[in-house]
Amino acid sequence: AAKAGGGWDNDALFAAAPHADAIKPYISPSGSQILTLKGTTGAPYLIKVVRAAAIDDKGLMAAVTLDQLQDFFLFSYEANAIAIDDISRSSGTFYKSVVVNDLSGINLFGDATFRNALAASSKKANAVGYQHYMSATILVNLPSLLGALVSLFKPLFPKPVQKKLKFEQGPLKDVGNLKDLIPAGAAKVKFLKQIDDLLFD
C-alpha cells in the first residue's frame, strides 16, 4: 500500500507471497524498495529499486528451489501490476513501472542460479503481458568490467525489455542502505531527481 511521501508499505504483501517465510531472511528493505515519481513531463512512475549485493543470493538459493523463487517473483510482478492499476484509477493518470537495479558490489563470477531465476521469471512475466506496465529498466553503478557485465546481463532480459534498458553511473552511490530512501529527505530527493533526468533526457 502507498504511504505518504511516495513510499510503500509492503509488509503485509510480502507475508502473503508464496514461500515468504523462507525468502524473507534473504531479501530485506536494505535490498529492495518501491517509490513513486512524477516526472518533469507530469508522467508518473512506480519505481522498484533493487540492490543485488544486499541480497544473500547463495543463502536464498540454499533455502528455496528455483521454481519456488520464480513463484515469488511472479507474485511480485502481479502485485506491482495491481498496485499500478489501483493508483492509476485513483489518480486518473496511468502509471508505468521503472526498475532500478543497483549493481555496485555485485560478484560477476559468482553462482548464476539466482540470476537464472530472475531471467526465467522475467520471461514468464512477459509471456502473460506484464511488460506493458514497464517503461524502463535502469542498471546503475556497473563494476569496472562494464563490457562483461552488459554482455552477461542484457541477454537475460526478453527482447522487448532489452529495448528499454538504460545504463548509468552515479545514482545510489552515496546511499548506504536503501532504507534511507523511505523517509522524505535529501537522499530520496536526489535519487528521484537523478532517475527523472534519466527518463526524460
Side-chain angles (χ1 to χ4, degrees):
K3 298 192 297 185
W8 287 74
D9 183 358
N10 293 317
D11 289 346
L13 185 64
F14 197 110
H19 320 297
D21 288 343
I23 291 171
K24 189 173 183 178
Y26 306 100
I27 299 180
S28 70
S30 63
S32 180
Q33 286 294 333
I34 295 179
L35 308 168
T36 54
L37 168 67
K38 183 162 288 189
T40 55
T41 66
Y45 292 91
L46 187 73
I47 303 176
K48 183 175 183 179
V49 187
V50 179
R51 176 169 281 167
I55 297 173
D56 179 4
D57 55 342
K58 289 184 179 180
L60 176 59
M61 297 313 302
V64 297
T65 66
L66 189 64
D67 286 342
Q68 288 174 331
L69 191 58
Q70 287 183 46
D71 288 344
F72 176 84
F73 284 133
L74 287 171
F75 177 91
S76 73
Y77 277 105
E78 175 65 14
N80 284 346
I82 291 172
I84 289 172
D85 287 342
D86 182 60
I87 196 171
S88 296
R89 283 193 295 266
S90 63
S91 67
T93 305
F94 182 57
Y95 274 66
K96 298 200 80 173
S97 175
V98 173
V99 176
V100 178
N101 285 306
D102 179 17
L103 301 177
S104 57
I106 194 171
N107 181 2
L108 293 180
F109 306 106
D111 184 19
T113 308
F114 181 69
R115 292 198 300 270
N116 292 340
L118 288 175
S121 302
S122 180
K123 288 179 181 178
K124 288 184 177 180
N126 281 279
V128 297
Y130 290 123
Q131 79 273 15
H132 298 301
Y133 289 90
M134 179 68 67
S135 175
T137 297
I138 305 172
L139 280 67
V140 302
N141 304 323
L142 288 74
S144 56
L145 294 176
L146 175 61
L149 185 62
V150 172
S151 63
L152 180 68
F153 275 90
K154 197 168 184 178
L156 298 179
F157 295 93
K159 288 185 178 179
V161 176
Q162 290 185 33
K163 296 177 181 178
K164 300 177 181 180
L165 282 174
K166 294 176 179 285
F167 301 89
E168 184 69 16
Q169 296 293 112
L172 297 174
K173 273 195 171 181
D174 55 354
V175 177
N177 191 311
L178 293 188
K179 289 188 288 186
D180 294 339
L181 298 176
I182 297 174
K188 174 182 283 186
V189 170
K190 181 178 180 180
F191 170 68
L192 291 180
K193 175 64 166 59
Q194 289 170 325
I195 299 305
D196 187 37
D197 290 344
L198 282 170
L199 292 173
F200 300 103
D201 57 13

